[in-house]
Amino acid sequence: MCGIIACVGCGDDTLDTLVHGLSKLDYRGYDSAGVALTAPGDETVAVVKREGKLERLREALDQADAAGTAPSGTVGMAHTRWSTHGPPSDANAHPHTDCSGEVAVVHNGIIENYQTLRDELEAAGHEFRSETDTEVIPHLIEDLLAGPEYDHADPEPAIREAMTRLEGSFAVVVSVAGVETLFASRQDNPLVLGASPRDAESASGERSEPRAGATYLASDVPAFREFTDRVVYLENGEFARIDTDGFTITDSDGGVVEKTVETVDWDPEDTGKSGYDHFMLKEIYEQPRALRQCLQGRVDEMGGRVTLDVDIEPERVQFVACGTSYHAALYGAELFREAGVPAQCFLASEYATSTPPVDDALVVGVTQSGETADTLSALREARSRGARTLACTNTVGSTAARECDEALFIRSGPEIGVAATKTFASQQTALNMLALSVAQQRGRAGTMRESLSALRDLPGEVQAILDESSAEAVAEEFVDAPSYFFIGRGVHYPVALEGALKLKEISYKHAEGFASGELKHGPLALVTGETPVFAVVTGDGPLATKTIGNVKEVESRDAPVVAVTDGRSDVGRYADHVLEIPEAPPRTAAVLANVQLQLVAYHVADMLGRPIDKPRNLAKSVTVE
Ligand code: F6R
């Protein structure tokens, strides 16, 4: 989704800082990009923006530089746009300006009342240049500044007033020509401030980091992480003012809010590719480390306990999530039911209309970003109906983490590839521990020691798969197939769904995941000799036997079968290929099997030359409903 980076105090490095920041937000997915700069004495804000990838903006800036017209300034902001209102085009790219070019705005989110505002502003003589909802903001500010009660010398009151007229979700940064200050506010869309060392010093008594005197605003920390690790998360309705003296944050009534400056616990290098061809591959290979981090200090094998820093004793659980996180939630729900806790799973976008009674339910939002609009909205709906909520997320400081009563962090480290990989494995692992902790509370932790040692072994087993997988050969054999099926039962059903989602989103090939037993109720009609079927079969119990029955059904329709298995059943006899995983109980086998399917998806997409880290039409963090 859209990305914002803005800064004050970077001096001659302002433009470079902005473009560098945009490159760090690149992973979010976008279709146009732009920058706006100003300096004391300017009468208009200099804006350059282009449809397409960042490279096109860079070319435009280079050309402007060669012609001596490059935008310059000491205050700047930049944006990558993922189009919602109006197609990708130079005109629809951000920043947007008012009629005079004096006010520039970048915005993430959707202004729901933009048509009403636009009609009013056009009636008042404002001329619009784009089809976006965002453009109403600079015109609205211009309109207010033209009135007698506001003053150009201090535009803050007019900007604050403009914010109160906006309905919808937004993270907005405003720059006014010649003013060495940036103004920002947010409502249901993330905005984080990067504090300079001086600000950090006053808050924490420590001193570190380069670039004293610079302050940043961004939609996401990677945009400025190389310059500071000190961050302040803005809350809904808060208003930030940043200038060369630092920052001030006020509430909607103008009262100063004392904010905590937090320290980011990951390094800038974590957002680099470290020699891998793609972030996705790097992140698949980072899974052993991610899982170790997820487990660290939480599993006490000697004491036979799981200790999580969350205060819950649920009678029932409702999960809400989207996409890959929904698959993790399906897995989590299965484990809660095993622990004797009734658990349901809802697609977050359907939760409000499902209106399930919440009563004594704990509502768990599973969301790696913590910013997915559908999930936040479902969690808010649950809260408004009196439910206690828990966010299972990778992002400390995210909206979900801050708004929920409890947060369980999955500790994956930054994930840049749009396709979720290590965060899915960490979500599975965190939910596994959560279900165990509840089983323990209820005195139902019968196989606790076995479960804990399985968790302990998990990172090493994932490493063994990464070292030995033959997924690339399987991908090579089936890369030309028109369609792929994935099947599994119990905890392996979400793995089948996730295997199919991963393949379709990055390879653009048709892929479907099914509960194994469902095949014969319809989808079997599509199975031919050209439909590879990936079957997840572990153990040798009744579920394995039943899935093997389903494997035989597809085999007798000539479909090639790839078994993802620990070899304890005889599924290998019916399979054309076997992707092996170590022997493990079902709950951790589901993590292991998924790693093989991630690798298949990656290699198919790579062989097809797809833009793996930024698949078309997709975004890392989906902040619109
Ligand atoms: C797919 C993928 C998406 C996300 C979904 C929810 O690889 O990453 O399906 O899982 O958009 O995102 P979060 O987890 O941030 O709520």
Side-chain angles (χ1 to χ4, degrees), residues 322-325 366-369 372 418-420 427 501-502 505 622:
C322 309
T324 289
S325 294
V366 185
T367 164
Q368 59 83 19
S369 64
T372 299
V418 163
Q427 284 170 338
L501 177 64
K502 213 73 335 174
E505 71 179 324
V622 184

Side-chain angles (χ1 to χ4, degrees), residues 320-327 365-373 375-376 392-393 395 415 417-421 423-424 427 498 501-502 505-506 615 618-622:
V320 291
C322 309
T324 289
S325 294
Y326 176 70
H327 301 154
V366 185
T367 164
Q368 59 83 19
S369 64
E371 301 296 350
T372 299
T375 307
L376 292 177
C392 175
T393 183
T395 317
E415 186 177 69
V418 163
T421 51
T423 54
F424 178 69
Q427 284 170 338
E498 177 58 10
L501 177 64
K502 213 73 335 174
E505 71 179 324
I506 60 167
L618 300 181
K620 184 70 185 160
S621 167
V622 184

Side-chain angles (χ1 to χ4, degrees), residues 469-488:
S469 175
S470 54
E472 188 170 358
V474 169
E476 196 161 3
E477 173 147 1
F478 297 119
V479 65
D480 295 324
S483 189
Y484 305 76
F485 281 11
F486 293 77
I487 59 172

Side-chain angles (χ1 to χ4, degrees), residues 133-214:
D133 53 337
T134 304
E135 197 186 342
V136 297
I137 308 172
H139 290 285
L140 183 56
I141 296 168
E142 177 181 41
D143 207 65
L144 290 164
L145 282 172
E149 61 272 48
Y150 296 108
D151 180 3
H152 276 247
D154 181 13
E156 182 176 328
I159 296 169
R160 296 182 79 100
E161 172 62 23
M163 295 301 140
T164 65
R165 307 254 185 112
L166 305 180
E167 289 169 18
S169 71
F170 53 84
V172 170
V173 182
V174 182
S175 175
V176 177
V179 177
E180 249 193 328
T181 305
L182 288 171
F183 307 91
S185 190
R186 64 155 276 181
Q187 185 65 42
D188 296 340
N189 227 284
L191 200 55
V192 57
L193 186 149
S196 77
R198 184 184 45 239
D199 300 317
E201 184 183 42
S202 61
S204 68
E206 292 168 29
R207 172 168 279 281
S208 66
E209 303 302 328
R211 279 246 182 100

